[in-house]
Amino acid sequence: MLFHVTMDVHVPHGCDPVRFEQLKAAEKARFQQLQRDGTWRHIWRVVGRYSNVSIFDVEDNAQLHDLLTSLPLYPFMEVKVTALCRHPSSLHDDDR
Ligand SMILES: O=C(O)C[C@H]1C=CC(=O)O1
């Protein structure tokens, strides 16, 4: 199942910068592992914002929920999820 996910990262004022850099490094490692697995299929930076637009390919809603809530930066994220299905006119066979 494919999902469009928007993640807006909000860094709280007064957040320990060293701790935040550690969380960012942990997030990057997890992200790159999920990319290699094919679970986190695509990511784009939203220009001018600490946000990304991503496409996830997971088994079900529960897997996506568990994955998102286990991300190191999850406590700082506002997450929006949109379920996707194949468009009938699509020429691509990997978009389902
Ligand atoms: O940078 C972000 O948008 C937040 C998060 C998503 C992937 C990653 O490495 O960090």
Side-chain angles (χ1 to χ4, degrees):
M1 296 174 70
L2 295 178
F3 290 89
H4 169 283
V5 178
T6 301
M7 301 176 203
D8 298 315
V9 183
H10 303 290
V11 187
H13 291 293
C15 180
D16 177 1
V18 175
R19 177 74 188 126
F20 196 71
E21 285 307 311
Q22 290 168 344
L23 287 170
K24 272 172 65 176
E27 176 83 20
K28 181 177 177 179
R30 177 107 170 94
F31 159 62
Q32 291 185 333
Q33 185 57 54
L34 290 164
Q35 240 192 337
R36 280 189 283 272
D37 294 348
T39 306
W40 197 327
R41 271 218 209 165
H42 302 285
I43 188 170
W44 294 269
R45 178 62 76 214
V46 179
V47 175
R49 288 167 38 194
Y50 193 175
S51 298
N52 72 71
V53 168
S54 293
I55 302 293
F56 284 85
D57 187 356
V58 292
E59 287 301 313
D60 53 27
N61 294 6
Q63 185 190 0
L64 182 65
H65 180 80
D66 291 346
L67 189 161
L68 292 172
T69 56
S70 68
L71 292 174
L73 286 181
Y74 180 77
F76 304 101
M77 287 178 178
E78 182 184 339
V79 178
K80 294 188 192 90
V81 176
T82 305
L84 303 174
C85 66
R86 189 165 196 276
H87 191 285
S89 306
S90 175
L91 293 176
H92 304 282
D93 58 11
D94 66 343
D95 52 2
R96 63 191 110 162

